[in-house]
């Protein structure tokens, strides 16, 4: 089974930037899309950004214009560039591989934005 490992989470001030990385241990068979989700304590996990294997992307309204998802197929990696961070972006961010068969999830990386 392919493992997903997130990195890049940190404590930053509002207005700052972070780049999250998700590295897969190998090629993901049956891949449909890669996505980033986030979850804050007491809240539902929400979709932040998604990138299909066909090249399309979509974003939550709350992050449009600030976040960018990208993929590097050669490195089996997906990234989330986060700019103009706000305190409400504080959450654990999870990488997810949507595929034919069971989906893969990473362990999550903490992003904390102070005001």
């Amino acid at each position: 089974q392919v493992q997903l490992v997130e990195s890049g989470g940190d404590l930053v001030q509002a207005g700052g930037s972070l780049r999250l990385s998700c590295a897969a241990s190998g090629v993901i068979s049956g891949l449909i899309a890669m996505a980033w989700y986030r979850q804050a304590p007491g809240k539902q996990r929400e979709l932040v950004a998604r990138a299909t294997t066909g090249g399309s992307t979509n974003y939550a309204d709350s992050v449009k214009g600030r976040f960018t998802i990208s993929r590097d197929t050669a490195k089996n990696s997906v990234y989330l560039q986060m700019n103009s961070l706000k305190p409400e972006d504080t959450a654990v961010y999870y990488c997810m591989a949507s595929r034919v068969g069971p989906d893969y999830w990473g362990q999550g990386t903490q992003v904390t934005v102070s005001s």
Side-chain angles (χ1 to χ4, degrees):
Q1 180 175 322
V2 174
Q3 307 293 317
L4 303 180
V5 180
E6 303 99 332
S7 62
D10 206 349
L11 170 64
V12 298
Q13 295 183 11
S17 297
L18 285 174
R19 183 177 174 84
L20 304 184
S21 298
C22 173
S25 61
V27 175
I28 301 171
S29 64
L31 186 66
I32 299 170
M34 297 294 296
W36 287 95
Y37 285 76
R38 67 185 182 188
Q39 186 169 28
K43 297 184 179 180
Q44 295 184 17
R45 186 172 298 186
E46 65 173 341
L47 177 66
V48 177
R50 185 175 186 266
T52 71
T53 55
S56 65
T57 59
N58 63 283
Y59 299 88
D61 288 342
S62 60
V63 307
K64 285 182 179 177
R66 300 188 298 121
F67 291 10
T68 304
I69 187 171
S70 61
R71 296 174 61 197
D72 187 335
T73 303
K75 295 183 177 180
N76 299 318
S77 299
V78 63
Y79 308 92
L80 186 68
Q81 178 66 46
M82 305 186 295
N83 298 326
S84 302
L85 284 162
K86 304 174 180 179
E88 51 262 44
D89 295 319
T90 296
V92 176
Y93 284 71
Y94 297 91
C95 175
M96 187 269 272
S98 179
R99 59 186 295 270
V100 178
D103 295 335
Y104 296 154
W105 289 86
Q107 295 295 306
T109 185
Q110 177 72 49
V111 172
T112 302
V113 184
S114 62
S115 60

